[in-house]
Amino acid sequence: MKYDLVIFDKDGTILNTLEDLADSLNATLRHFHYPEHTIEEVCSFVGNGIRLLIERGVPKGLEVSEIDKVHAYFMTYYQEHCADKTKPYDGIHETIQKLREAGIKTAVVSNKADCAVKELAEQYFDGLFDVAVGEREGILKKPAPDGVNDVLRQLGVARERAIYVGDSEVDVATAQNAQMDSLIVEWGFRKADFLKEHGAKLLISDPKEIVEYCVQQ
C-alpha cells in the first residue's frame, strides 16, 4: 500500500453540512434583525470554524460583545438543527470502507469542538474511523497541524505514510504545515481554480479516486 493512514477533513469533504450551516446562520441573523446571506455567500464564509463564520456573516463594525451574543444564539440553534439536511457525500461511506478493507487506518480532523466531532463521526460514520479529533485545549484549529499530529501520535503512523484529504485552502495549508501529502476534493466548499491558486497540487472529483490513489503500489 502507498499509505497506512488517510486523515479526512469533515465539513465539505465527507459531510455536506452547508445547508444546515446556512439555514442556522440566517435564522440567527433574522433573530437579531440583520441581513441574511445566500447559500453561495455562506459557502465562502466557512472553513475556519464557527466563530469566523459568525464574524463574516454579521454586519461590519459590530462590537465584540454583540458578536458574542450572535455566536451564542447560533450555537444553541445549530445544535438543534445541525442534522436537518446534513448528510455524507455520495460514495464516501463506500470509499472509507474500501480503505479499511485494504488495511488502511482512517481518521477525521475538524475545526469543530472535539466532543462534536466525535459525536458526528459516530452518528454518520459509526465504526469507520479509528480516531476523530477536533479543537480542544492543546489542539489548535487548522491550518495548525496540531489535530493531524495528534492523530499520527495516537495511531503510531509516520507522517510519510499518511495522507490528508480536504476541500479548502485551510486544508491545503494544514497538510503543508503538517509536512504531509494531500488530496484536495472538488465536491466541497471551494472551486478548483481557487484551490489551485492556494497551492492544491492533486485535485480529485470522485471519492473512488481516494482508494485508487492511496492503495497504489
Side-chain angles (χ1 to χ4, degrees), residues 28-45:
T28 300
L29 295 172
R30 279 197 304 275
H31 176 80
F32 289 93
H33 306 291
Y34 295 144
E36 298 178 35
H37 295 283
T38 66
I39 196 164
E40 290 79 13
E41 289 172 328
V42 176
C43 188
S44 71
F45 298 159

mmCIF file of all heavy atoms in Angstrom, residues 28-45:
data_model
loop_
_atom_site.group_PDB
_atom_site.id
_atom_site.type_symbol
_atom_site.label_atom_id
_atom_site.label_comp_id
_atom_site.label_asym_id
_atom_site.label_seq_id
_atom_site.Cartn_x
_atom_site.Cartn_y
_atom_site.Cartn_z
ATOM 1 N N THR A 28 -30.348 32.849 12.731
ATOM 2 C CA THR A 28 -29.718 33.675 13.764
ATOM 3 C C THR A 28 -29.738 35.148 13.369
ATOM 4 O O THR A 28 -30.071 36.025 14.185
ATOM 5 C CB THR A 28 -28.269 33.211 14.000
ATOM 6 O OG1 THR A 28 -28.283 31.842 14.424
ATOM 7 C CG2 THR A 28 -27.584 34.064 15.039
ATOM 8 N N LEU A 29 -29.368 35.430 12.120
ATOM 9 C CA LEU A 29 -29.365 36.815 11.648
ATOM 10 C C LEU A 29 -30.771 37.416 11.686
ATOM 11 O O LEU A 29 -30.943 38.590 12.053
ATOM 12 C CB LEU A 29 -28.780 36.882 10.236
ATOM 13 C CG LEU A 29 -27.301 36.491 10.115
ATOM 14 C CD1 LEU A 29 -26.890 36.401 8.652
ATOM 15 C CD2 LEU A 29 -26.411 37.473 10.863
ATOM 16 N N ARG A 30 -31.783 36.623 11.331
ATOM 17 C CA ARG A 30 -33.175 37.100 11.410
ATOM 18 C C ARG A 30 -33.534 37.475 12.838
ATOM 19 O O ARG A 30 -34.209 38.478 13.088
ATOM 20 C CB ARG A 30 -34.140 36.033 10.900
ATOM 21 C CG ARG A 30 -34.273 35.948 9.417
ATOM 22 C CD ARG A 30 -35.511 35.178 8.984
ATOM 23 N NE ARG A 30 -35.567 33.836 9.535
ATOM 24 C CZ ARG A 30 -34.978 32.784 8.989
ATOM 25 N NH1 ARG A 30 -34.265 32.928 7.874
ATOM 26 N NH2 ARG A 30 -35.071 31.594 9.545
ATOM 27 N N HIS A 31 -33.098 36.637 13.774
ATOM 28 C CA HIS A 31 -33.408 36.885 15.184
ATOM 29 C C HIS A 31 -32.870 38.243 15.640
ATOM 30 O O HIS A 31 -33.521 38.938 16.440
ATOM 31 C CB HIS A 31 -32.802 35.775 16.042
ATOM 32 C CG HIS A 31 -32.972 35.980 17.517
ATOM 33 N ND1 HIS A 31 -34.149 35.690 18.178
ATOM 34 C CD2 HIS A 31 -32.103 36.464 18.460
ATOM 35 C CE1 HIS A 31 -34.006 35.979 19.464
ATOM 36 N NE2 HIS A 31 -32.783 36.446 19.660
ATOM 37 N N PHE A 32 -31.718 38.620 15.124
ATOM 38 C CA PHE A 32 -31.101 39.888 15.512
ATOM 39 C C PHE A 32 -31.414 41.026 14.527
ATOM 40 O O PHE A 32 -30.864 42.110 14.641
ATOM 41 C CB PHE A 32 -29.589 39.713 15.644
ATOM 42 C CG PHE A 32 -29.178 38.905 16.848
ATOM 43 C CD1 PHE A 32 -28.989 37.527 16.758
ATOM 44 C CD2 PHE A 32 -28.996 39.513 18.084
ATOM 45 C CE1 PHE A 32 -28.614 36.779 17.875
ATOM 46 C CE2 PHE A 32 -28.627 38.777 19.202
ATOM 47 C CZ PHE A 32 -28.445 37.403 19.094
ATOM 48 N N HIS A 33 -32.297 40.730 13.546
ATOM 49 C CA HIS A 33 -32.714 41.728 12.554
ATOM 50 C C HIS A 33 -31.547 42.220 11.696
ATOM 51 O O HIS A 33 -31.476 43.399 11.334
ATOM 52 C CB HIS A 33 -33.409 42.919 13.239
ATOM 53 C CG HIS A 33 -34.542 42.519 14.122
ATOM 54 N ND1 HIS A 33 -35.732 42.002 13.625
ATOM 55 C CD2 HIS A 33 -34.661 42.539 15.474
ATOM 56 C CE1 HIS A 33 -36.540 41.733 14.639
ATOM 57 N NE2 HIS A 33 -35.910 42.038 15.777
ATOM 58 N N TYR A 34 -30.651 41.280 11.358
ATOM 59 C CA TYR A 34 -29.541 41.578 10.473
ATOM 60 C C TYR A 34 -29.821 41.000 9.090
ATOM 61 O O TYR A 34 -30.599 40.037 8.961
ATOM 62 C CB TYR A 34 -28.237 40.981 11.006
ATOM 63 C CG TYR A 34 -27.761 41.565 12.313
ATOM 64 C CD1 TYR A 34 -27.135 40.767 13.274
ATOM 65 C CD2 TYR A 34 -27.908 42.926 12.596
ATOM 66 C CE1 TYR A 34 -26.677 41.301 14.473
ATOM 67 C CE2 TYR A 34 -27.456 43.463 13.795
ATOM 68 C CZ TYR A 34 -26.849 42.648 14.726
ATOM 69 O OH TYR A 34 -26.404 43.179 15.909
ATOM 70 N N PRO A 35 -29.194 41.536 8.046
ATOM 71 C CA PRO A 35 -29.396 40.992 6.691
ATOM 72 C C PRO A 35 -28.947 39.541 6.593
ATOM 73 O O PRO A 35 -27.951 39.149 7.212
ATOM 74 C CB PRO A 35 -28.525 41.901 5.816
ATOM 75 C CG PRO A 35 -28.340 43.157 6.605
ATOM 76 C CD PRO A 35 -28.328 42.730 8.046
ATOM 77 N N GLU A 36 -29.680 38.752 5.800
ATOM 78 C CA GLU A 36 -29.329 37.352 5.597
ATOM 79 C C GLU A 36 -28.418 37.191 4.381
ATOM 80 O O GLU A 36 -28.140 38.156 3.666
ATOM 81 C CB GLU A 36 -30.610 36.521 5.434
ATOM 82 C CG GLU A 36 -31.491 36.569 6.675
ATOM 83 C CD GLU A 36 -32.789 35.805 6.515
ATOM 84 O OE1 GLU A 36 -32.789 34.750 5.835
ATOM 85 O OE2 GLU A 36 -33.823 36.257 7.055
ATOM 86 N N HIS A 37 -27.943 35.956 4.176
ATOM 87 C CA HIS A 37 -26.999 35.681 3.088
ATOM 88 C C HIS A 37 -27.476 34.526 2.229
ATOM 89 O O HIS A 37 -28.177 33.620 2.705
ATOM 90 C CB HIS A 37 -25.621 35.337 3.660
ATOM 91 C CG HIS A 37 -24.966 36.470 4.388
ATOM 92 N ND1 HIS A 37 -24.356 37.521 3.738
ATOM 93 C CD2 HIS A 37 -24.836 36.722 5.724
ATOM 94 C CE1 HIS A 37 -23.880 38.372 4.633
ATOM 95 N NE2 HIS A 37 -24.153 37.909 5.840
ATOM 96 N N THR A 38 -27.044 34.533 0.967
ATOM 97 C CA THR A 38 -27.314 33.409 0.080
ATOM 98 C C THR A 38 -26.439 32.230 0.490
ATOM 99 O O THR A 38 -25.435 32.397 1.204
ATOM 100 C CB THR A 38 -26.996 33.760 -1.377
ATOM 101 O OG1 THR A 38 -25.575 33.975 -1.504
ATOM 102 C CG2 THR A 38 -27.745 35.016 -1.810
ATOM 103 N N ILE A 39 -26.810 31.055 0.027
ATOM 104 C CA ILE A 39 -26.017 29.872 0.360
ATOM 105 C C ILE A 39 -24.616 29.970 -0.245
ATOM 106 O O ILE A 39 -23.639 29.485 0.330
ATOM 107 C CB ILE A 39 -26.739 28.579 -0.086
ATOM 108 C CG1 ILE A 39 -26.101 27.365 0.615
ATOM 109 C CG2 ILE A 39 -26.740 28.435 -1.605
ATOM 110 C CD1 ILE A 39 -26.958 26.120 0.545
ATOM 111 N N GLU A 40 -24.505 30.656 -1.399
ATOM 112 C CA GLU A 40 -23.185 30.849 -2.007
ATOM 113 C C GLU A 40 -22.308 31.729 -1.124
ATOM 114 O O GLU A 40 -21.106 31.480 -0.977
ATOM 115 C CB GLU A 40 -23.327 31.473 -3.397
ATOM 116 C CG GLU A 40 -23.921 30.562 -4.460
ATOM 117 C CD GLU A 40 -25.435 30.441 -4.368
ATOM 118 O OE1 GLU A 40 -26.056 31.261 -3.642
ATOM 119 O OE2 GLU A 40 -26.000 29.540 -5.009
ATOM 120 N N GLU A 41 -22.912 32.758 -0.547
ATOM 121 C CA GLU A 41 -22.145 33.629 0.353
ATOM 122 C C GLU A 41 -21.710 32.866 1.597
ATOM 123 O O GLU A 41 -20.551 32.979 2.036
ATOM 124 C CB GLU A 41 -22.988 34.842 0.736
ATOM 125 C CG GLU A 41 -23.201 35.834 -0.401
ATOM 126 C CD GLU A 41 -24.196 36.925 -0.059
ATOM 127 O OE1 GLU A 41 -25.152 36.657 0.714
ATOM 128 O OE2 GLU A 41 -24.033 38.035 -0.565
ATOM 129 N N VAL A 42 -22.620 32.085 2.163
ATOM 130 C CA VAL A 42 -22.270 31.311 3.355
ATOM 131 C C VAL A 42 -21.154 30.319 3.032
ATOM 132 O O VAL A 42 -20.248 30.106 3.845
ATOM 133 C CB VAL A 42 -23.508 30.588 3.923
ATOM 134 C CG1 VAL A 42 -23.112 29.709 5.112
ATOM 135 C CG2 VAL A 42 -24.576 31.595 4.337
ATOM 136 N N CYS A 43 -21.205 29.746 1.851
ATOM 137 C CA CYS A 43 -20.160 28.804 1.432
ATOM 138 C C CYS A 43 -18.783 29.460 1.484
ATOM 139 O O CYS A 43 -17.792 28.833 1.866
ATOM 140 C CB CYS A 43 -20.465 28.301 0.023
ATOM 141 S SG CYS A 43 -19.382 26.965 -0.530
ATOM 142 N N SER A 44 -18.718 30.732 1.120
ATOM 143 C CA SER A 44 -17.437 31.441 1.142
ATOM 144 C C SER A 44 -16.999 31.799 2.555
ATOM 145 O O SER A 44 -15.828 32.121 2.785
ATOM 146 C CB SER A 44 -17.530 32.721 0.301
ATOM 147 O OG SER A 44 -18.332 33.705 0.934
ATOM 148 N N PHE A 45 -17.934 31.751 3.514
ATOM 149 C CA PHE A 45 -17.612 32.095 4.903
ATOM 150 C C PHE A 45 -17.033 30.925 5.693
ATOM 151 O O PHE A 45 -16.370 31.132 6.707
ATOM 152 C CB PHE A 45 -18.868 32.563 5.655
ATOM 153 C CG PHE A 45 -19.514 33.808 5.115
ATOM 154 C CD1 PHE A 45 -20.845 34.087 5.410
ATOM 155 C CD2 PHE A 45 -18.825 34.711 4.320
ATOM 156 C CE1 PHE A 45 -21.462 35.236 4.930
ATOM 157 C CE2 PHE A 45 -19.437 35.852 3.833
ATOM 158 C CZ PHE A 45 -20.755 36.116 4.147
#
